[in-house]
């Protein structure tokens, strides 16, 4: 939508969904009829310099990453951390900071890095941390 | 009302279906959206929302996009409270006349505003809505500065912070005025529920939001919103900074019921020196020069005094 400044409507109503929906607080994003007006359909992936990579092996599903992610980009379903939504993640790194496991279950790496390689070279448990 | 939200623990809470979307234009690591998520997820009820002009509004309603999955309105900088109060008044009128299209859906009304929009420029509109007694909640995203226009000081900016209109320099230590005590002002309106929250203490915050939403009448929430851009810290540290704010007692967590009954809701196990909170942010960096040491010392004295005062008020039960 490439409109000039003087072509916008003075006041506007945007509809988030294409059709009538029930109680949205009980319907997860994958089952919602988003319209193109919802920013859910947009992406900010090009904002990132680094991305968080998730390693399921160490995760205890504490959900700290879920609650503190500003960008609704930690996907949790049925009390389990499922992964990162890379369309909406801005790469802030909060999820990594709040992850309590040792080693961490999330790690920031350069955007272009291969996920499999990162997982294969995951850091070991930090012994010093454990000993206090 | 729909079934009450399950928030006993974080795992349960994480089954929430968010009603706020990503790909908004808030900075990476912005606390505004963490606060909004905790507020919206605190309930399953239908929501009617408004936002004052400011980072939250500007970044979540960028035509042709919206990041809101609930009814949401923006009118101007100063009138988020009025917008939602009007919607609430209309809802009540339609209900009285039996003209609601879906009478079984009982919405909650919530307004969001920055500290500039709330402590300063929209203040009389909030005061009016609270005096009229609308059934609504007003949430301040308190980042202590006019962030969206480049960091001008507001009446919420604390002493010693460097802001673009109160810059620190060779002779000035930055902001000279004490932060306005909005909690006391809103309690003085006789609001049935006034609370200060931090998104880093999610359980305390969600409990207070639920209490505020379930209380009839105008309720008020002041949420500390650590701003990576204006407070000058790395975006991954937003939660750590918010924790320092509450653990140093710079942002004590408490609530005031019916204008007088004060409860402290969080007592840090280890109280952190105020200096540590200040040192973690670029906006206070200059205070660590020897010539401004007295400002640092005064900070600690002020915070101790306020904490003492809150404890006395809590004890007095009046
Ligand atoms: C009446 C009016 N005055 C000034 C502005 C310019 N303005 C837009 S956003 C903003 C700053 C908002 O600060 P705050 O309310 O603290 O929210 P923040 O951006 O910090 O979240 C200002 C001054 C405006 N839009 N309308
Ligand atoms: S890096 Fe930031 S935006 Fe991305 S998933 Fe982690 S917390 Fe969310
Ligand atoms: S914070 Fe870490 S351990 Fe907790 S759910 Fe997220 S990835 Fe798993
Ligand atoms: S300037 Fe601050 S409040 Fe505004 S979007 Fe950025 S981090 Fe958030
Ligand atoms: Mg502000």
């Amino acid at each position: 939508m490439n409109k000039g400044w003087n072509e916008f409507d003075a006041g506007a109503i945007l509809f988030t969904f294409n059709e009538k929906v029930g109680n949205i607080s009980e319907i997860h994003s994958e089952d919602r009829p988003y319209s193109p007006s919802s920013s859910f359909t947009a992406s900010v992936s090009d904002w990132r310099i680094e991305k968080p990579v998730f390693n399921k092996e160490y995760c205890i599903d504490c959900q700290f990453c879920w609650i503190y992610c500003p960008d609704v980009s930690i996907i949790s379903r049925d009390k389990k951390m499922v992964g990162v939504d890379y369309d909406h993640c801005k790469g802030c790194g909060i999820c990594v900071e709040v992850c309590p496991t040792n080693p961490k279950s999330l790690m920031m790496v350069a955007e272009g890095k291969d996920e499999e390689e990162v997982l294969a070279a995951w850091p070991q448990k930090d012994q010093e941390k454990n000993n206090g | 009302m729909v079934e009450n939200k399950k928030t006993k623990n974080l795992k349960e809470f994480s089954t929430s279906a968010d009603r706020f979307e990503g790909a908004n234009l808030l900075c990476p690591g912005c606390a505004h959206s963490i606060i909004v998520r905790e507020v919206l997820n605190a309930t399953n009820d239908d929501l009617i929302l408004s936002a004052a002009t400011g980072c939250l509004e500007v970044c979540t309603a960028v035509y042709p996009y919206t990041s809101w999955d609930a009814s949401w309105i923006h009118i101007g900088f100063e009138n988020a409270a009025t917008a939602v109060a009007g919607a609430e008044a209309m809802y009540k009128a339609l209900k009285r006349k039996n003209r609601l299209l879906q009478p079984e859906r009982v919405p909650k009304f919530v307004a969001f505003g920055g500290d500039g929009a709330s402590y300063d420029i929209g203040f009389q509109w909030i005061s009016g809505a609270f005096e009229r007694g609308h059934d609504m909640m007003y949430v301040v995203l308190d980042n202590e500065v006019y962030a969206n226009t480049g960091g001008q000081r507001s009446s919420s900016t604390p002493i010693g912070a460097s802001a673009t209109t109160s810059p620190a320099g060779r002779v000035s230590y930055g902001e000279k005025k004490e932060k306005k005590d909005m909690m006391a002002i809103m309690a003085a309106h006789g609001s049935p529920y006034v609370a200060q929250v931090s998104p880093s203490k999610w359980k305390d915050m969600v409990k207070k939001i639920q209490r505020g939403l379930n209380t009839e009448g105008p309720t008020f929430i002041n949420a500390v919103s650590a701003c990576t851009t204006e407070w000058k810290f790395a975006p991954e540290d937003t939660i750590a900074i918010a924790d320092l704010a509450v653990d140093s007692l710079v942002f004590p967590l408490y609530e005031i019921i019916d204008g007088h009954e004060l409860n402290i809701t969080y007592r840090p196990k280890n109280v952190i020196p105020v200096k540590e909170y200040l040192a973690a942010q670029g906006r206070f960096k200059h205070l660590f020069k020897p010539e401004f040491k007295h400002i640092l010392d005064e900070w600690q004295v002020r915070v101790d005094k306020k904490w003492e005062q809150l404890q006395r008020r809590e004890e007095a039960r009046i």
Side-chain angles (χ1 to χ4, degrees):
Chain A
M1 262 189 246
N2 276 328
K3 279 191 179 183
W5 66 269
N6 56 351
E7 292 168 312
F8 282 109
D9 305 321
I13 299 178
L14 297 174
F15 292 94
T16 308
F17 303 111
N18 276 328
E19 48 192 86
K20 225 173 143 179
V21 282
N23 191 330
I24 204 68
S25 76
E26 283 157 2
I27 305 169
H28 280 286
S29 53
E30 56 273 25
D31 298 321
R32 293 177 178 179
Y34 286 109
S35 84
S37 291
S38 171
S39 70
F40 180 81
T41 63
S43 171
V44 285
S45 61
D46 58 353
W47 287 30
R48 281 194 309 269
I49 301 163
E50 291 188 313
K51 64 180 176 189
V53 168
F54 175 50
N55 188 336
K56 208 161 72 204
E57 199 180 323
Y58 302 105
C59 175
I60 55 170
D61 291 310
C62 68
Q63 304 300 339
F64 284 149
C65 56
W66 171 80
I67 191 150
Y68 296 130
C69 170
D71 290 293
V72 209
S73 298
I74 297 291
I75 307 165
S76 289
R77 295 292 181 266
D78 303 322
K79 306 183 182 179
K80 295 251 179 302
M81 153 61 163
V82 179
V84 178
D85 169 354
Y86 289 112
D87 284 334
H88 301 122
C89 166
K90 293 173 186 158
C92 67
I94 289 178
C95 53
V96 175
E97 283 303 306
V98 299
C99 180
T101 60
N102 181 7
K104 284 190 184 281
S105 310
L106 283 155
M107 190 163 66
M108 295 307 282
V109 301
E111 178 61 26
K113 268 209 170 158
D114 179 66
E115 197 166 321
E116 294 304 317
E117 276 173 35
V118 175
L119 287 173
W122 204 261
Q124 297 293 302
K125 191 169 170 167
D126 184 341
Q127 296 295 345
E128 249 170 61
K129 225 182 218 167
N130 254 20
N131 299 336
Chain B
M1 212 168 82
V2 279
E3 200 195 328
N4 240 343
K5 189 83 193 199
K6 293 192 177 77
T7 54
K8 212 172 68 232
N9 55 51
L10 197 44
K11 281 192 191 205
E12 232 175 43
F13 195 34
S14 74
T15 59
S16 303
D18 274 277
R19 284 179 279 181
F20 182 73
E21 300 295 345
N24 55 63
L25 303 188
L26 293 159
C27 300
C30 177
H32 280 5
S33 40
I34 308 176
I35 294 165
V36 168
R37 287 189 58 224
E38 289 186 28
V39 171
L40 304 197
N41 282 334
T43 178
N44 280 337
D45 284 328
D46 284 315
L47 291 165
I48 294 179
L49 311 167
S50 75
T53 313
C55 282
L56 180 70
E57 173 271 327
V58 167
C59 300
T60 61
V62 189
Y63 195 83
Y65 290 117
T66 170
S67 301
W68 301 85
D69 303 334
S71 304
W72 180 92
I73 184 170
H74 165 254
I75 301 176
F77 191 25
E78 63 286 347
N79 50 23
T82 319
V84 130
E88 185 262 359
M90 184 183 74
Y91 169 80
K92 276 200 173 145
L94 290 175
K95 189 173 167 186
R96 204 169 45 240
K97 294 177 184 164
N98 247 333
R99 280 173 49 200
L100 285 173
L101 293 179
Q102 300 178 68
E104 70 287 359
R105 296 178 80 159
V106 183
K108 301 282 192 213
F109 296 85
V110 183
F112 291 99
D115 51 294
S118 312
Y119 284 53
D120 298 344
I121 299 177
F123 180 68
Q124 68 164 312
W125 308 66
I126 300 173
S127 184
F130 275 61
E131 185 266 324
R132 292 190 302 273
H134 294 277
D135 191 8
M136 59 179 275
M137 187 160 91
Y138 192 95
V139 181
V140 182
L141 306 156
D142 185 8
N143 59 10
E144 305 188 317
V145 74
Y146 287 81
N148 191 64
T149 37
Q152 296 80 13
R153 58 85 64 188
S154 77
S155 59
S156 173
T157 305
I159 292 183
S162 188
T164 51
T165 47
S166 61
R170 205 152 38 81
V171 287
S172 174
Y173 54 81
E175 175 60 31
K176 302 281 185 304
K177 301 280 191 306
E178 253 183 70
K179 182 185 171 89
K180 190 192 258 185
D181 188 352
M182 258 313 250
M183 290 284 289
I185 294 169
M186 296 321 292
H189 279 71
S191 163
Y193 192 69
V194 167
Q196 182 146 278
V197 300
S198 165
S200 63
K201 295 280 174 266
W202 74 270
K203 204 166 186 178
D204 177 78
M205 171 157 171
V206 167
K207 236 198 224 134
K208 286 170 173 164
I209 300 297
Q210 289 174 332
R211 179 155 185 175
L213 289 174
N214 293 331
T215 301
E216 210 180 318
T219 58
F220 181 83
I221 301 286
N222 196 66
V224 55
S225 188
C227 169
T228 160
T229 303
E230 296 299 339
W231 295 15
K232 299 185 171 59
F233 59 81
E236 69 265 27
D237 291 335
T238 302
I239 294 302
I241 297 284
D243 269 339
L244 283 175
V246 294
D247 286 333
S248 63
L249 300 172
V250 170
F251 270 89
L253 301 182
Y254 63 104
E255 59 189 12
I256 306 171
I257 296 155
D258 292 333
H260 60 88
E261 189 189 325
L262 190 146
N263 301 312
I264 294 171
T265 58
Y266 171 73
R267 288 183 167 74
K269 273 193 211 89
N270 300 307
V271 177
I272 285 162
V274 172
K275 258 200 321 224
E276 278 182 38
Y277 168 67
L278 303 178
Q281 304 165 59
R283 64 176 171 152
F284 296 115
K285 188 175 70 193
H286 53 282
L287 295 184
F288 292 83
K289 290 185 194 159
E291 61 266 37
F292 296 140
K293 184 175 179 299
H294 62 289
I295 304 295
L296 276 186
D297 297 341
E298 281 168 30
W299 248 105
Q300 187 66 56
V301 171
R302 203 166 41 246
V303 168
D304 290 347
K305 212 166 103 191
K306 176 77 189 181
W307 183 237
E308 172 73 28
Q309 194 191 37
L310 289 175
Q311 294 187 94
R312 291 242 196 122
R313 282 238 3 230
E314 183 183 46
E315 267 166 38
R317 309 308 291 156
I318 47 163

